Amino acid sequence: MCLSPLVAAQTKIPAPQEVLGFAPGEDRKLASWNQVIDYFDRLDRTSDRVLFETLGNSSMGKPFVMATISSPANLARLEEFKQIQDQLADPRKLVPLATRDRKAAELMRRGKTVVLITCGIHSTEVGSYLSSMLIAHRLASSTEPEIQKILDNTIILLVPSLNPDGVDIVKNWYDRTLDTPFEGTDPPELYHKYTGHDNNRDWYAFTQVETQLTVDKIHNVWHPQIVHDIHQQGAFGSRLFLPPYMPPVEPNVPKPIVTAYTQLGNWIAGEMRKQGFQGITTNSTYDAWSPARAYSHYHGGARILSETASAKIASPMTLKLEELRSREGYDPQKESPKFGPVWPGGEWRLSDITKHMTTAAFLLLDHAATNREQWLARFYAIGKEAVRPRRPGELFGFLIEPGPTSVSLLDILARGGVETTLPKDGTTFKVGRHTFPEGTKLVRMDQPYGGFAKALLEVQRYPNLRDATGHPIAPYDVTAHTLSMLMGVTVHPVKAPFTYSRQTAPVGETAGVRKEATPLKDAFAIYKSSVPAHDEGWTRWILDTRGIRYGMLGDRELRAGITVFKPGPGITVKYYVLLIPDQPARTLLEGYKAGAMPPEYTGGLGPQGVKNLRDFIETGGTAVFLNRASNFAIEQFKLPLRNVVDGLPRTEFYVPGSILRIELDTTHPVAQGMPKETIAWAEDSPVFEVVEDPNAMVPASNVRIIASYPVDKNPLLSGWLLGGDLIKGKAALVEVTMGKGRVILFGFRPQYRAQSEATYPLFFNALTSR
Ligand SMILES: [Zn+2]
C-alpha cells in the first residue's frame, strides 16, 4: 500500500515545532498544557523509547503526567528494574545477611541509574517545561552514540511540569499582556491554586495533590538515584547555579548524598565551562537545610538543582555587567572560586535559558550512564548504613505519644516511607520510670528512611553563620522543620539498647483520633490582595479541605465598601469577620504601583479601603490580622501598640522562620481549649508592646494580651533566633477593642504552610469567638 507523504510524516518521530507550531525557546512563545500533552502523546505513539502516562489530576483538574524514557529493551523490563531499586534501597530485603553484599553486587550489575527530571514547579520559570520537550525529542530520536549510552544505562523519568495548572495561568497572562506595557510581568495571582511558589516547600508535609502524586507514584515506586530539579532564578545574578549547595547541610542528609551532588554539580559546571558557558556559580545562594525542598536527600537520591537566569517570562532582555547584582556567596562581576568566568552582559533570551537547561541535563544523564555502577553502589551503601542496627548509646528511635494531631503526623511519616512499629495498641508500657500511654508508636532509626523521620522529629539547631563583616548569613528558606512541634505532638527520643516493659491495659478509646475543626458559625471572608500572597492561598487550602465556607474580598470590594457590614437599619449582613493573611503592610496599603500593572490591579486598599475597614470594625466587625499584616493594623488604626523589633538590624534581632515558645492566657476565648504553653511560627514577625500614646485612636486599656513570649525562658524551641532577650515578656497575640468591634493581631503565622496544627485552634477561635 502506498503511503502518501503526509501519512509517512506522521509516523516519524515529530520535533516539538511540528506539533507546537514553534520551537521551544523561541522568543515570546509559550506552549499550553494541552500542547505539551499532545507532544508527549505523539512521542509515545511514534517512539519505542518513550512511555507516556497520566498519574492523576492536578489541583485544578488537569492531567499530571510523566514520560518514562529508556532503550526499548529496558522499557520491556521496567518491573524488574523497580524490584532491583526496591531491594538496593532497603537492604533488609536481601536475606540472608551473610550473602547480602553478594546479592547486592549482582543487582548492581543488572540495574540502571534511575534519573528523575522535574520541570516547571515554579510556573513563571518557563524554560524548563519547554526544555522537557527538547530533552524528550533528542532522547527519542537521536542516533548519536552518547544518547544510545544514556538509553542503555539509565531509566529517565521525565515530569514536564510538577504544576500543570501554572503552565496555563502563566501562558494566559503572558499572552494577554503581550505587546502591552505589561509584557513579561508575573501574573497577579498565585500560579498554583493554593501555594504559588510555596509548592516547592511541601516535600515533607505533602499537603498538595501534586506533591502526593510525585511522592506516591514516582519517588516511592522508583527511588531515583538522581533528581534533576530544573529551575530559574532572578535575571540579575549568575547565569546558572549548580550544586554543591552552600552551607549549612541539614545533619540528616547522608554524607554520600553530599559527595554525590558535589561531584556531579562540579562536573557539569566544569564541562559547561569547557564548552564556553560563562557566569556559572556553585556553592552559593542555595543551601541544603530544609527537607521542604529535597525529598530525595532523605530517600537515597542526590538532588541536582539547577537555576538558570530568567528573562522576562518569554521576552528577551538586555543586561549590562554593572547591573548584575551579588547574591549570597559571589559577585557576578568578579571571578572567584565559586563563580566564573564572568559573563560580560548582553542579550538574554528564552533560547539562552533552554540551551543552559538542555546542556546541563544531557551532561547529567551522561554522568549517570557512564558511572552507572558507582551510582548504584552509593545508593546501596546509603540504604545499608540506614538499616544497620544501632549501637548502645546511639539514637534508637522516637516514641510518638497519641494526641489530637498525632494521626496526621503518622500519616505524613508513612507517606515518606517511614515504618512505625511496636508497641501494639491496647497496652501501655514503661521505658525506665516513664509510663507511656496506650497508642504510643515507635519509629526506629534502623530503617531506610529513619533519617527522614529524625529530621522531622528532632529540634533544629541552625548554625550561627556570619559573613566576613559579622552579619548573619540568611538561610535560603527557613530554619526549622520540627513537624512534631508544629503539629503539637509529644515525642521522646530513646537510645539503644531500647528496652521496655509492657503492661496490659484495658482497651479503651482509640487514641489519636483526628480532631475535626469547629465548623465556623459566623459568615467570614478572606481578604485577597491584588498582589498574590502565599499565606492567603494556604489559608484557603486549610478551609477548603475542611469544607468550611468563606467569602473572598479584594481591594476593589474593600475600597467600594459595599460588602462588609454589621446589621443595622436596612443593611444586609454579609460578613462578621474578615481575615487579612500575612503580607507586608505596605503591600496591603499600596498594592502594585500605578503603571506597574494594568490599572484594575493597582492601588491596594488605599485610604478609602482603610476607612471602610475601620467602619466595619467600629460598627461591630472583627478583623483578624496575621503576622506582617498586623503592622498594617497598628499603623493605619493608630493602635496603642508598638512593634519592638521593627527596623532592627539582623545583628540585633533575627528570626528567619523558626519555632518559638509562647504562653497563653487561656481565659481568653481565642485561647480556649489550648494548653498554657504552645508554639509560634515566627518569620519576619512583629512583637507587640502596649504603649500609652495620646495620639492613639483607642486607650491602652482596650488591649488584651492573649499570648506572650516567656519572661524567664529562652523563646527559641527550634531553628535560629538572634536577640531573643529583646522579646522576652512581650506580646505575640493581642485583641484590641475598637468601637463595637475588635481587631485580633497575630505576631506569628498560626497556620504556617498548613503545618502548624498546634496553633490551628487559635486561628479558628479568632474567626469564631466573640
Ligand atoms: Zn524555582
Side-chain angles (χ1 to χ4, degrees):
M1 196 170 156
C2 180
L3 289 176
S4 74
L6 187 68
V7 174
Q10 280 171 351
T11 60
K12 99 177 208 310
I13 294 164
Q17 58 265 39
E18 293 170 55
V19 174
L20 307 178
F22 63 91
E26 218 172 282
D27 282 344
R28 308 169 92 216
K29 289 281 197 326
L30 294 176
S32 69
W33 188 238
N34 274 342
Q35 287 180 300
V36 175
I37 303 259
D38 258 9
Y39 181 66
F40 277 93
D41 262 335
R42 291 279 296 275
L43 283 187
D44 180 83
R45 277 185 276 142
T46 53
S47 166
D48 55 3
R49 302 172 183 176
V50 180
L51 291 174
F52 183 55
E53 62 192 306
T54 299
L55 303 179
N57 287 321
S58 69
S59 296
M60 293 164 87
K62 293 190 198 247
F64 187 90
V65 299
M66 175 177 82
T68 305
I69 306 176
S70 194
S71 70
N74 288 343
L75 289 184
R77 293 164 58 205
L78 289 181
E79 281 311 312
E80 181 190 335
F81 294 123
K82 276 183 203 165
Q83 292 300 319
I84 293 174
Q85 291 290 105
D86 189 52
Q87 293 173 78
L88 291 176
D90 185 356
R92 294 173 304 178
K93 293 176 177 168
L94 298 170
V95 283
L97 188 60
T99 60
R100 182 176 283 179
D101 285 347
R102 194 143 36 85
K103 284 194 172 135
E106 192 274 322
L107 295 176
M108 287 184 250
R109 266 193 303 279
R110 279 195 288 135
K112 307 294 172 192
T113 315
V114 177
V115 182
L116 168 61
I117 301 180
T118 52
C119 305
I121 194 166
H122 292 151
S123 310
T124 48
E125 304 165 13
V126 295
S128 64
Y129 88 98
L130 295 167
S131 292
S132 76
M133 292 179 274
L134 299 170
I135 294 167
H137 177 245
R138 187 170 168 205
L139 288 168
S141 62
S142 170
T143 54
E144 301 156 280
E146 60 262 42
I147 297 299
Q148 199 56 55
K149 181 178 77 177
I150 289 169
L151 295 168
D152 288 342
N153 289 284
T154 70
I155 293 163
I156 300 152
L157 311 168
L158 177 58
V159 179
S161 177
L162 286 169
N163 179 19
D165 300 326
V167 169
D168 289 336
I169 290 172
V170 170
K171 177 184 164 55
N172 292 342
W173 175 254
Y174 183 77
D175 289 353
R176 187 185 138 190
T177 51
L178 208 55
D179 293 318
T180 76
F182 313 109
E183 176 177 329
T185 54
D186 287 354
E189 63 179 302
L190 295 174
Y191 52 60
H192 174 275
K193 184 178 180 188
Y194 294 116
T195 62
H197 195 85
D198 267 3
N199 58 357
N200 199 33
R201 305 291 187 266
D202 195 38
W203 294 107
Y204 68 79
F206 314 131
T207 62
Q208 302 301 307
V209 292
E210 293 83 2
T211 322
Q212 293 172 358
L213 287 168
T214 310
V215 166
D216 296 351
K217 301 205 169 174
I218 308 176
H219 279 285
N220 293 353
V221 172
W222 275 108
H223 313 291
Q225 279 90 20
I226 304 172
V227 176
H228 185 26
D229 194 21
I230 310 182
H231 285 247
Q232 281 171 226
Q233 54 185 349
F236 295 91
S238 68
R239 298 301 91 193
L240 176 67
F241 163 86
L242 287 165
Y245 302 97
M246 70 173 196
V249 177
E250 206 274 331
N252 297 294
V253 177
K255 293 290 170 286
I257 293 283
V258 178
T259 308
Y261 69 60
T262 302
Q263 284 178 356
L264 179 50
N266 279 335
W267 183 78
I268 298 171
E271 292 299 308
M272 288 183 74
R273 285 176 182 131
K274 279 187 217 163
Q275 293 180 25
F277 286 87
Q278 297 169 313
I280 300 176
T281 181
T282 56
N283 194 14
S284 68
T285 319
Y286 305 92
D287 61 41
W289 183 258
S290 175
R293 300 191 307 278
Y295 184 80
S296 67
H297 281 179
Y298 302 84
H299 293 83
R303 175 179 185 239
I304 302 297
L305 167 72
S306 76
E307 294 271 2
T308 304
S310 294
K312 290 162 75 179
I313 310 285
S315 302
M317 56 196 298
T318 304
L319 294 140
K320 294 195 190 89
L321 178 63
E322 55 273 22
E323 287 178 307
L324 302 182
R325 293 193 288 265
S326 290
R327 297 203 57 184
E328 205 60 69
Y330 72 95
D331 173 352
Q333 301 184 29
K334 261 189 241 147
E335 189 153 323
S336 70
K338 296 178 186 176
F339 177 79
V342 171
W343 179 65
E347 290 229 298
W348 189 255
R349 52 197 344 132
L350 190 52
S351 58
D352 293 307
I353 296 170
T354 54
K355 188 180 174 197
H356 279 69
M357 288 176 172
T358 51
T359 303
F362 279 100
L363 285 166
L364 178 140
L365 291 172
D366 187 77
H367 192 283
T370 308
N371 304 284
R372 183 184 63 81
E373 289 212 31
Q374 189 200 13
W375 279 106
L376 294 183
R378 180 155 43 207
F379 182 65
Y380 172 61
I382 292 165
K384 214 173 124 176
E385 166 61 20
V387 303
R388 98 183 141 69
R390 293 318 193 241
R391 292 181 283 267
E394 281 188 310
L395 180 70
F396 180 79
F398 290 87
L399 291 163
I400 301 179
E401 286 194 20
T405 49
S406 60
V407 173
S408 310
L409 179 65
L410 291 167
D411 284 351
I412 286 171
L413 292 174
R415 176 160 257 138
V418 176
E419 299 159 6
T420 41
T421 49
L422 287 170
K424 285 180 184 152
D425 289 340
T427 57
T428 58
F429 65 101
K430 282 174 88 166
V431 179
R433 287 206 199 118
H434 192 99
T435 300
F436 285 86
E438 176 192 343
T440 299
K441 304 282 184 190
L442 171 64
V443 172
R444 298 167 61 123
M445 287 299 101
D446 57 352
Q447 56 171 312
Y449 312 120
F452 178 69
K454 182 166 170 277
L456 301 185
L457 299 176
E458 72 181 4
V459 168
Q460 279 77 54
R461 296 179 205 286
Y462 193 85
N464 190 3
L465 297 176
R466 306 288 178 135
D467 66 16
T469 64
H471 278 261
I473 298 175
Y476 181 68
D477 186 31
V478 296
T479 65
H481 44 263
T482 313
L483 196 54
S484 47
M485 265 182 199
L486 284 163
M487 300 182 86
V489 180
T490 308
V491 301
H492 306 264
V494 286
K495 294 208 159 149
F498 175 66
T499 54
Y500 66 97
S501 56
R502 185 174 291 186
Q503 305 178 329
T504 309
V507 178
E509 290 280 296
T510 313
V513 174
R514 201 188 300 269
K515 194 167 96 182
E516 288 308 319
T518 331
L520 304 189
K521 288 188 285 292
D522 295 336
F524 87 101
I526 303 175
Y527 164 72
K528 185 181 187 192
S529 164
S530 298
V531 182
H534 301 121
D535 199 46
E536 180 268 329
W538 284 113
T539 305
R540 276 188 288 107
W541 183 85
I542 290 165
L543 299 171
D544 284 357
T545 51
R546 283 162 176 74
I548 297 169
R549 295 173 59 164
Y550 53 88
M552 300 294 301
L553 295 173
D555 292 327
R556 261 191 296 181
E557 286 85 357
L558 281 171
R559 288 197 298 247
I562 50 163
T563 8
V564 185
F565 278 109
K566 268 299 286 176
I571 298 170
T572 311
V573 173
K574 198 140 189 208
Y575 302 112
Y576 290 98
V577 181
L578 180 64
L579 175 77
I580 296 92
D582 175 40
Q583 207 162 5
R586 200 176 167 145
T587 309
L588 294 171
L589 184 66
E590 297 175 5
Y592 290 114
K593 294 244 175 333
M597 286 294 251
E600 63 266 37
Y601 299 104
T602 61
L605 284 167
Q608 190 59 44
V610 172
K611 183 185 176 299
N612 292 341
L613 199 47
R614 190 193 297 135
D615 288 347
F616 162 71
I617 298 161
E618 289 178 340
T619 54
T622 295
V624 180
F625 291 84
L626 301 184
N627 207 43
R628 292 172 298 174
S630 295
N631 293 319
F632 172 90
I634 295 173
E635 290 159 19
Q636 299 303 321
F637 304 147
K638 297 194 171 57
L639 300 178
L641 291 166
R642 189 174 78 92
N643 172 8
V644 300
V645 298
D646 185 36
L648 292 182
R650 283 179 184 174
T651 43
E652 283 177 44
F653 183 79
Y654 194 40
V655 58
S658 305
I659 302 170
L660 304 186
R661 184 200 318 264
I662 54 171
E663 292 172 347
L664 293 166
D665 172 2
T666 52
T667 65
H668 192 282
V670 168
Q672 199 191 353
M674 287 290 290
K676 278 266 176 213
E677 188 180 293
T678 188
I679 59 123
W681 178 267
E683 185 181 358
D684 298 325
S685 298
V687 178
F688 312 119
E689 184 178 59
V690 184
V691 288
E692 294 288 351
D693 180 354
N695 295 321
M697 296 283 288
V698 297
S701 58
N702 280 25
V703 181
R704 191 158 163 203
I705 293 170
I706 307 167
S708 347
Y709 293 104
V711 177
D712 49 1
K713 287 182 199 162
N714 183 355
L716 180 65
L717 288 172
S718 187
W720 197 19
L721 171 65
L722 298 175
D725 283 346
L726 289 173
I727 65 171
K728 283 183 178 172
K730 306 295 185 202
L733 171 57
V734 297
E735 178 191 65
V736 187
T737 310
M738 286 173 63
K740 291 184 188 157
R742 60 179 186 161
V743 292
I744 296 170
L745 309 186
F746 280 85
F748 54 95
R749 295 175 64 182
Q751 36 38 309
Y752 161 71
R753 290 179 181 167
Q755 294 175 22
S756 53
E757 288 194 35
T759 47
Y760 280 12
L762 297 173
F763 173 72
F764 286 119
N765 287 342
L767 296 177
T768 51
S769 67
R770 44 189 62 243

